[in-house]
Amino acid sequence: MRGADIHDTTAVEDTHWWYRERRALLARELRRLRHRPPQRKAIEIGAAGGGNCLVMRDFGYDVLATEHLPEGVEIARARGLTAIRADARELPVDDAGQDVLVAFDVLEHIAEDDRAAAEIHRVLRPGGTALIAVPADMRLWSVFDELSGHVRRYDRHGLTTLIEGAGLRIESLRSWNVLLRPAVALRRTTTRPASESTLRHDVTAVHPLVNAALGAVVRLERHLPVGALPGVSLLLRARRP
Amino acid sequence: MALDPQLLEILACPDTHHAPLDHDAAAGTLTCTECGREFRIEDDIPVLLLEEARTAPVVPGPHDTDQEDDL
C-alpha cells in the first residue's frame, strides 16, 4: 500500500462494505478472546490509519499501531492512537509482551514474509493470539494486486507452512468473501485500471446501493458454512504455544 | 508531548538484540542502550526504522586515550 491509498481508505472505512465487515470480523474474534485473562496489550502491524486499532481500543486493549508509511502513522496518531513507524520484519518492541497481534493485509506486501512471521511469534507472549488476513489464491492475481504492491496471494498450504514454520499453532483457518468470489474474479480479469489513482477510485468509490448490497452479501457469510470453500481472503487465528 | 512511559517500557531496538531504548525528551530521540543507534521522534511519532536511524558515534577505546590531549 502507498501513502495516498491510506488516505483514501481511511476516508471510506467507516462506510465501505469491505472495511465494515473486516472490522466486524475483528470484533467477533476479540469477543472470543474475552475469557482469556490477562488481555491487555495489543499490537497491529501494517496498521495503516489504525481502523482496526480503534476496534481493539474499544475492547479495552492498550494498543500500539505500527506502520511503515508516515501517512498511516500520522492518521493513527491524529485519531488518538499510540503509533510508531516500524518495519514488520524488525519490530521495535520487546519479546513476549503482546496478548494480541493483528496483521490484516500485511504479509502479502512483504517479500521476506518469513521474517515478519518470526517477529509475530517473538512479540506475542506464550498463549498470545495472532489474527491474520491475507489475499487468497494466485488464480485471482491481477493488475489490482500489482498496483496494490502485493508480492503474492496465499493458498492454505503456503500460509499454514509460513505460520507453523514461525512456531505458532493455528487454531482456525478459513476463507472470507466466498460468496462474492465469482464476481471479484470476473471483475479482476475483465477490468484493467489505467493507473494507480484509477484503482484507488475503483476500490473506494462505491455507489451507496451497491455498497449496501455487497455488505448484505458479505454479512451473510457469518451464518453460512462457507469457510472451507475458496474465497478472496484467508483469515487465520493462531496462538503462540 | 512527553513519550508515554508505558510505551517506552515496551519499545525496543528493531535490531535483533532488541535492547531497551533511552529517551531524551529535549533532543526528541530514542537511543538504543546496546548499539547506540539514535532514532528520532517526529511530531510525537517514534521512527523506529533501522534505515532511518543515526548510527552511534564511535566511542574512543583505551588505545585512543592519547587523542584526548588534542581536544
Side-chain angles (χ1 to χ4, degrees):
Chain A
M1 195 182 281
R2 295 162 179 83
D5 299 334
I6 291 178
H7 280 289
D8 285 4
T9 55
T10 303
V12 301
E13 68 184 349
D14 288 341
T15 52
H16 191 285
W17 65 276
W18 195 94
Y19 289 97
R20 276 181 70 106
E21 184 61 10
R22 277 298 184 79
R23 305 283 181 261
L25 286 169
L26 175 59
R28 283 161 71 92
E29 289 289 347
L30 295 176
R31 274 202 295 276
R32 181 191 299 280
L33 297 176
R34 266 183 173 165
H35 65 283
R36 288 184 185 169
Q39 298 292 340
R40 291 191 309 109
K41 291 215 173 292
I43 185 169
E44 180 170 21
I45 61 175
N52 292 318
C53 290
L54 295 175
V55 176
M56 291 192 270
R57 191 172 66 179
D58 287 347
F59 272 79
Y61 285 93
D62 181 4
V63 59
L64 175 64
T66 77
E67 165 62 46
H68 195 275
L69 295 172
E71 291 87 348
V73 188
E74 283 158 20
I75 294 169
R77 187 78 186 83
R79 287 165 144 181
L81 291 161
T82 304
I84 61 172
R85 285 188 65 198
D87 185 327
R89 301 167 304 172
E90 297 160 339
L91 289 176
V93 296
D94 218 349
D95 295 355
Q98 304 296 320
D99 298 296
V100 173
L101 178 143
V102 169
F104 278 9
D105 312 299
V106 183
L107 295 175
E108 71 274 15
H109 292 270
I110 302 171
E112 299 167 292
D113 58 352
D114 56 329
R115 287 180 62 196
E119 284 292 82
I120 291 172
H121 176 271
R122 179 183 70 81
V123 305
L124 280 173
R125 68 167 172 79
T129 299
L131 301 170
I132 294 168
V134 292
D137 199 344
M138 282 305 285
R139 282 175 297 181
L140 292 179
W141 182 268
S142 74
V143 68
F144 288 83
D145 293 282
E146 289 166 27
L147 291 175
S148 303
H150 293 174
V151 181
R152 69 185 81 73
R153 303 178 71 91
Y154 289 84
D155 59 24
R156 284 168 184 262
H157 175 72
L159 186 59
T160 300
T161 305
L162 176 72
I163 298 304
E164 289 184 345
L168 295 162
R169 190 177 301 143
I170 295 174
E171 288 188 337
S172 142
L173 172 58
R174 63 191 179 91
S175 296
W176 181 69
N177 212 352
V178 173
L179 300 176
L180 291 170
R181 178 179 158 125
V184 169
L186 183 69
R187 183 160 174 72
R188 293 199 178 174
T189 49
T190 55
T191 316
R192 192 173 175 87
S195 68
E196 201 187 312
S197 63
T198 317
L199 169 73
R200 286 207 306 274
H201 184 264
D202 191 75
V203 170
T204 55
V206 182
H207 187 281
L209 284 177
V210 176
N211 192 47
L214 295 174
V217 173
V218 81
R219 278 196 302 278
L220 253 186
E221 289 190 17
R222 297 182 194 174
H223 313 291
L224 295 175
V226 294
L229 299 173
V232 182
S233 303
L234 285 169
L235 300 178
L236 180 144
R237 182 176 70 248
R239 286 183 83 180
R240 177 173 172 172
Chain B
M1 198 183 94
L3 202 65
D4 179 352
Q6 276 193 315
L7 174 62
L8 190 58
E9 198 64 33
I10 66 159
L11 290 182
C13 183
D15 203 350
T16 49
H17 50 74
H18 301 299
L21 304 172
D22 273 339
H23 180 215
D24 183 335
T29 56
L30 291 163
T31 304
C32 177
T33 52
E34 175 77 28
C35 63
R37 281 194 190 88
E38 194 179 271
F39 302 92
R40 69 183 191 281
I41 301 172
E42 218 172 63
D43 300 329
D44 293 337
I45 297 170
V47 181
L48 294 168
L49 300 167
L50 286 180
E51 70 265 25
E52 300 212 8
R54 217 165 61 186
T55 47
V58 178
V59 179
H63 57 283
D64 296 326
T65 45
D66 56 337
Q67 289 179 355
E68 284 175 12
D69 298 337
D70 304 331
L71 294 177

